[in-house]
Amino acid sequence: MIFPVPPEEEEAVTLSEEMVERRMQRFLSRKERYQIKYKSIYKVHQRVAKEFRVGRVLLAGDAAHLTIPWEPSV
């Protein structure tokens, strides 16, 4: 699961068991606690090209992106 986090929230608070459990319960409430096997903070890095066409070169599609941390390495 991915949850947005306020930028002013401290990482220790964000990753605390209580905060993770609270966010999970708001998403899908259940009586028992969730078993969390992995948690980390992922910061989004957006980049937009200044120009999409220069001469005969055209930038199109989703050809360049950063690897997300939970994606298996190849």
Side-chain angles (χ1 to χ4, degrees):
M1 301 296 303
I2 302 172
F3 297 101
V5 176
E8 65 276 1
E9 188 172 286
E10 294 183 24
E11 288 188 14
V13 172
T14 301
L15 296 175
S16 70
E17 288 186 30
E18 297 79 21
M19 185 60 78
V20 172
E21 181 69 24
R22 186 180 313 157
R23 286 187 167 110
M24 292 295 294
Q25 290 290 347
R26 278 191 295 210
F27 179 75
L28 181 61
S29 181
R30 53 188 254 182
K31 293 178 184 176
E32 62 275 355
R33 293 179 61 90
Y34 282 91
Q35 181 182 6
I36 308 299
K37 294 185 178 187
Y38 175 79
K39 55 188 174 181
S40 84
I41 295 177
Y42 175 69
K43 296 181 180 176
V44 176
H45 302 281
Q46 287 184 314
R47 292 168 177 85
V48 178
K50 292 179 183 178
E51 297 182 39
F52 291 90
R53 184 178 185 141
V54 177
R56 295 176 51 195
V57 177
L58 176 67
L59 177 62
D62 186 25
H65 56 275
L66 298 173
T67 303
I68 53 178
W70 54 88
E71 184 175 285
S73 57
V74 179

